Amino acid sequence: MKLIIYFGCLALFTLILLYLTRDRQNSQAPDGNTAGADDTQTNPALRKIAASMVALTADKDSWDIILKQPAAFLSSGDAIDVAWDMVARQFSLPPLSLVATDNGGLEILFDDVRQPIENFAEEVDPLRAFLDLNRAIEPAYELRYCIDSWHSSDKTFLVMSRNDWQQLEREFGEQKVAYRFHRLGQDVEQFTTAAKDAYQNRYQ
């Protein structure tokens, strides 16, 4: 009888211990396990590169950082899918592809969502396609233009999750982040004018 009671108590103790362990693990699990833009994983490596550019004093050009970390940036000298793929492979971003439509157009396929390419005249202005790319990856990710690449024939862009951009702005302030990274917006003419004005006479 005593043996039965002993094993019964042992089993009950084991069940209680398992329950407490599982409850503790659940309470310590990080938030953000459900799908959605706000739950996109952060990328510390990309954010570190962005922070090194933002941390420069206003009289310092960030172009040297871009040149030293070319794999972190998308270049207007590449097709948008090629540019994305080079960064995605290096920094574990979700895949992206171009898909032909029945009417002869192209769509960007990202995270099972299709975004028509409205500005595909890349030979006229490659920046237009990058605005479409930015629309395709929103709201989980955001592409921003590196203002200090204005003098180069190939403009550069940095992509990070929306969470990473927000964390960068909390750390340095929106104004300092905007000094290095220009938000693309929806209109290419407004974007190019604003980007040119932002760089004009910056380091003279």
Side-chain angles (χ1 to χ4, degrees):
M1 184 67 180
K2 290 182 179 180
L3 190 62
I4 295 175
I5 295 174
Y6 170 77
F7 281 110
C9 292
L10 183 62
L12 180 61
F13 176 77
T14 303
L15 288 173
I16 293 174
L17 184 62
L18 287 173
Y19 175 81
L20 291 175
T21 302
R22 186 181 63 178
D23 186 64
R24 182 179 180 184
Q25 289 176 342
N26 290 338
S27 66
Q28 291 178 345
D31 294 333
N33 291 328
T34 56
D38 292 337
D39 305 317
T40 305
Q41 291 184 350
T42 61
N43 193 308
L46 285 173
R47 193 171 65 248
K48 182 178 179 180
I49 294 171
S52 69
M53 296 170 66
V54 177
L56 292 173
T57 56
D59 61 323
K60 301 296 184 182
D61 194 332
S62 65
W63 181 242
D64 285 343
I65 296 176
I66 297 172
L67 292 179
K68 291 176 181 177
Q69 303 278 354
F73 300 91
L74 288 79
S75 170
S76 65
D78 299 313
I80 54 176
D81 57 332
V82 174
W84 178 274
D85 185 60
M86 289 191 293
V87 177
R89 284 187 283 109
Q90 182 76 17
F91 294 94
S92 302
L93 299 179
L96 175 148
S97 59
L98 297 184
V99 180
T101 62
D102 294 337
N103 60 2
L106 282 174
E107 293 178 332
I108 301 171
L109 179 61
F110 181 78
D111 196 23
D112 295 328
V113 176
R114 292 173 180 254
Q115 165 66 39
I117 298 182
E118 301 172 2
N119 302 310
F120 195 61
E122 292 189 50
E123 67 280 1
V124 177
D125 188 350
L127 298 182
R128 295 177 182 272
F130 281 86
L131 267 67
D132 287 325
L133 173 59
N134 191 49
R135 280 190 281 268
I137 63 176
E138 289 179 333
Y141 292 87
E142 184 182 359
L143 198 66
R144 296 195 189 183
Y145 171 67
C146 303
I147 295 175
D148 286 338
S149 71
W150 180 260
H151 65 280
S152 173
S153 58
D154 292 337
K155 314 306 183 206
T156 58
F157 302 81
L158 182 69
V159 61
M160 293 199 302
S161 71
R162 187 63 58 87
N163 289 341
D164 278 327
W165 284 116
Q166 291 173 348
Q167 185 167 336
L168 194 68
E169 289 173 340
R170 285 194 295 269
E171 183 178 354
F172 292 97
E174 292 185 17
Q175 187 173 355
K176 288 201 70 174
V177 174
Y179 187 76
R180 300 295 177 183
F181 299 103
H182 187 77
R183 305 189 78 165
L184 301 192
Q186 301 294 322
D187 183 87
V188 70
E189 281 76 20
Q190 291 180 3
F191 160 68
T192 52
T193 299
K196 181 179 179 180
D197 291 345
Y199 183 79
Q200 198 76 16
N201 302 320
R202 172 169 284 195
Y203 301 113
Q204 294 182 1

